[in-house]
Structure formats: structure tokens, C-alpha cells
Amino acid sequence: MGEGDGLRDYRGRRDVGRTGEPAGRGASAPRPAPRFVVRIHDASTPHFDFRLQVADVLRSWSVPKGPSADPGDKRLAVPTEDHPLEYEEFEGVIPRASTGAARSSSGTTAPTSR
């Protein structure tokens, strides 16, 4: 899924000139490992956002109850629109009438086998 198609929903839901969020206009420099972002989203209903790099976008899920330290716990993860790779570095307060405010943490990930 490329940025040309993968970010249509993302762009349709935002006024990036107003919110300051990245527009996802350019390709980022190649990265040695896929990236992930975990964000506490201080929205009208607080939740966690989980984003995982797949090709040239961050696939995204909303996790209402947040992560658990117990691997046996199951958590609902609701798919949301893909986000541009630049969103990994985005930090700021988004106007209340938009998508909310957030604090974030990120890192790298690598495929593992069980």
C-alpha cells in the first residue's frame, strides 16, 4: 500500500494547515528496521494508538484499554486510517475540534518466530 492510496483517508480527515500534523507528502529516508509508535491519545475518550510501519505508511490501530504486561490478556485493537511515516516524529497539541492531543513513544521492531 503506497502513500498515493494509503493516505487518502488520513488526508480526508484532517486540515493539516490547522492541526500541524504531517501531510505525508514526501518519502522518508530508508530505515534499517520497520518502526512502531505507541501513543497515549488524550482524546474525548482517552486510548492508546499503535502504529506499525508497513512499506511506506504507518498502519494504525486504536487500543481502548491500552497495553497489558500479561501476554495472556487480549485487547481490542480497532483499525484506523494509515498515517504517514513522518507521524512517528510528530508531537503537538491538536485543536480540540480535530483528532485530539497525544504523547508518544517509538522504536524499531523486527520479525520474530515463536
Side-chain angles (χ1 to χ4, degrees):
M1 182 179 302
E3 282 192 5
D5 296 326
L7 296 176
R8 182 178 304 134
D9 288 343
Y10 171 86
R11 290 185 185 116
R13 293 172 184 237
R14 287 164 176 76
D15 176 354
V16 297
R18 181 171 175 260
T19 65
E21 294 171 280
R25 294 196 174 121
S28 296
R31 299 178 180 187
R35 305 292 292 175
F36 72 92
V37 177
V38 177
R39 192 170 289 235
I40 300 171
H41 194 153
D42 186 19
S44 55
T45 302
H47 61 276
F48 283 76
D49 288 334
F50 175 68
R51 306 192 200 292
L52 180 64
Q53 181 182 351
V54 176
D56 59 352
V57 297
L58 292 171
R59 298 293 313 264
S60 302
W61 295 265
S62 173
V63 184
K65 291 187 177 181
S68 171
D70 181 353
D73 284 349
K74 294 184 179 184
R75 293 287 192 252
L76 174 68
V78 180
T80 65
E81 71 276 7
D82 292 347
H83 285 59
L85 293 177
E86 297 90 346
Y87 212 88
E88 175 192 350
E89 304 297 327
F90 174 72
E91 225 177 285
V93 176
I94 301 168
R96 183 168 285 294
S98 301
T99 57
R103 294 172 300 189
S104 66
S105 172
S106 61
T108 61
T109 184
T112 60
S113 59
R114 293 184 175 236

